[in-house]
Amino acid sequence: MKRVNLLLVSLLFSTSNGWASTLNVDLTGGVARWGNAIVSSSGDDMVPSFWTPTHCLTPTAKWIPGAFVTPPPTTIMMSSGGASIAFPITFKGFEYHTGSAGTVIGNGSSGGPYCSSGDFTSGIATVMGGAGCLLVNNLTTGAKVVTPYAFIRPIFSIDDTALADAFDKQPQGLYRGSVSLSQFYQYYLGDIKTQYIDSQPFVLEISHTPAYITSVELTGESEMKPVYGVGTDDVSAKTSFDVTASGFFSDGMKVMLNRSDDYILRNSGSEIPYSIKCIGCSDGEYLVEEGVVSNPSSPSLKVSGVEVNTINFTIDVEFNAVPLDPLEVGSYTDTFTLIFEPDV
């Protein structure tokens, strides 16, 4: 007598569980700070720091986590008022949290295709791969029939540079966008394998505050006029530059030095160290004092300005009471570089 083995497969479709929390990102001056996302168990990608709870899943003693039903979206559209921005995002898969079910890893699953990456550790199953793929092994609670998993969250990757580029020159605002991620798993009712299909919402809010410089204008004389002491046989000199920086500054601006410069006026045989002062900087005055950088580990000062389009301050370059002897007669020159960038 021939024996015919029958595998019954049923498909269940559901709507989204209707519960979603929101991922929050602060993007200030092109620097992204994630408010409620953490590094995934894979170590290279991200997951929300919160879990989405599940509802009304059929109890089972054996199941197989899956990834996406269909290929996930590769961009997410964010909007704020009349502005819309699309930027790339990569969805890798899902993490399933089995809660207190006492789940252990079982035998190899049958049917495939299998996900390119998957694991089950400390009650969390990770599946990463393309549409329709499954974890290599099934998960089981033995004879105990329980809800297969209690929570789920997506695994994703956003390149911070691509994010900053997408929002470059865009107006300030709170941008919001969402996508739906199709998700499935297979489970057993006795010897019958059943597939469950669901969708998981992914909601993202980005608080965008641009910070950029469009121009920096310096007005002043590069020549330092000597002033000779009366009866003291010394010389001093000073020049000033009025600086106007334009753009948008969310939290002021940094004035920095080129680390490779030195700050000494020279002619063929003599040297005069000089100072650079930032008049209007909020955290100090001297960038350089008598040829010595004031803070070598971080040669910069900050000019205040919260959510302004223009910042004004003054740079003084000077030296004081240098003895004329043994200075040689002649012209003394030097060049230095100032670097300006928005502070975020």
Side-chain angles (χ1 to χ4, degrees):
M1 180 179 69
K2 293 183 178 180
R3 174 174 294 177
V4 179
N5 293 320
L6 298 177
L7 175 63
L8 301 180
V9 179
S10 63
L11 296 178
L12 300 179
F13 294 86
S14 79
T15 59
S16 172
N17 56 40
W19 189 96
S21 190
T22 301
L23 272 170
N24 303 113
V25 184
D26 177 85
L27 183 65
T28 300
V31 178
R33 297 178 178 87
W34 290 85
N36 52 356
I38 58 176
V39 177
S40 71
S41 57
S42 69
D44 297 321
D45 304 300
M46 301 179 73
V47 293
S49 58
F50 53 85
W51 292 85
T52 299
T54 60
H55 304 283
C56 304
L57 299 183
T58 303
T60 182
K62 184 169 65 173
W63 66 290
I64 310 165
F68 305 100
V69 179
T70 58
T74 57
T75 60
I76 185 167
M77 181 67 70
M78 308 293 295
S79 61
S80 175
S84 295
I85 300 170
F87 66 88
I89 183 170
T90 303
F91 291 102
K92 303 291 189 69
F94 294 96
E95 287 186 353
Y96 296 83
H97 198 308
T98 59
S100 58
T103 305
V104 297
I105 196 161
N107 299 324
S109 59
S110 60
Y114 302 118
C115 293
S116 57
S117 178
D119 192 16
F120 181 73
T121 305
S122 302
I124 297 176
T126 301
V127 287
M128 299 173 62
C133 73
L134 294 159
L135 189 67
V136 173
N137 294 86
N138 62 57
L139 303 179
T140 180
T141 52
K144 184 170 60 173
V145 176
V146 297
T147 298
Y149 59 95
F151 306 97
I152 189 172
R153 61 188 178 187
I155 304 169
F156 66 96
S157 176
I158 294 178
D159 182 83
D160 283 352
T161 300
L163 178 63
D165 289 345
F167 279 84
D168 186 33
K169 303 297 191 237
Q170 296 296 329
Q172 181 174 356
L174 181 64
Y175 291 75
R176 182 179 175 89
S178 65
V179 293
S180 182
L181 306 175
S182 64
Q183 165 258 331
F184 81 105
Y185 69 96
Q186 295 178 352
Y187 66 99
Y188 286 85
L189 296 175
D191 293 328
I192 300 175
K193 183 193 288 186
T194 301
Q195 182 164 289
Y196 183 88
I197 296 176
D198 200 0
S199 62
Q200 303 299 326
F202 183 90
V203 184
L204 182 63
E205 278 189 354
I206 298 177
S207 177
H208 171 50
T209 304
Y212 54 86
I213 296 175
T214 56
S215 66
V216 177
E217 182 179 355
L218 281 78
T219 303
E221 296 291 335
S222 60
E223 182 179 354
M224 303 171 70
K225 302 293 185 181
V227 177
Y228 298 98
V230 178
T232 57
D233 291 329
D234 59 29
V235 63
S236 59
K238 176 181 177 180
T239 190
S240 296
F241 299 93
D242 293 323
V243 185
T244 300
S246 301
F248 183 83
F249 305 93
S250 58
D251 190 25
M253 185 178 71
K254 290 181 180 179
V255 183
M256 299 175 290
L257 299 174
N258 188 338
R259 292 177 182 271
S260 63
D261 290 345
D262 65 10
Y263 304 94
I264 299 174
L265 293 162
R266 293 181 173 89
N267 74 357
S268 58
S270 299
E271 298 181 344
I272 304 175
Y274 60 90
S275 301
I276 302 174
K277 297 165 65 176
C278 178
I279 309 303
C281 289
S282 61
D283 52 0
E285 185 175 70
Y286 280 99
L287 280 163
V288 178
E289 189 168 7
E290 295 183 356
V292 179
V293 176
S294 299
N295 186 6
S297 62
S298 179
S300 67
L301 294 175
K302 179 177 177 178
V303 187
S304 298
V306 178
E307 297 188 0
V308 296
N309 297 107
T310 303
I311 288 179
N312 297 289
F313 58 100
T314 300
I315 294 292
D316 285 348
V317 183
E318 64 185 23
F319 64 86
N320 293 311
V322 175
L324 288 170
D325 185 22
L327 293 180
E328 293 186 2
V329 176
S331 296
Y332 290 72
T333 62
D334 189 38
T335 61
F336 64 89
T337 301
L338 293 177
I339 302 169
F340 307 94
E341 71 174 33
D343 194 10
V344 295

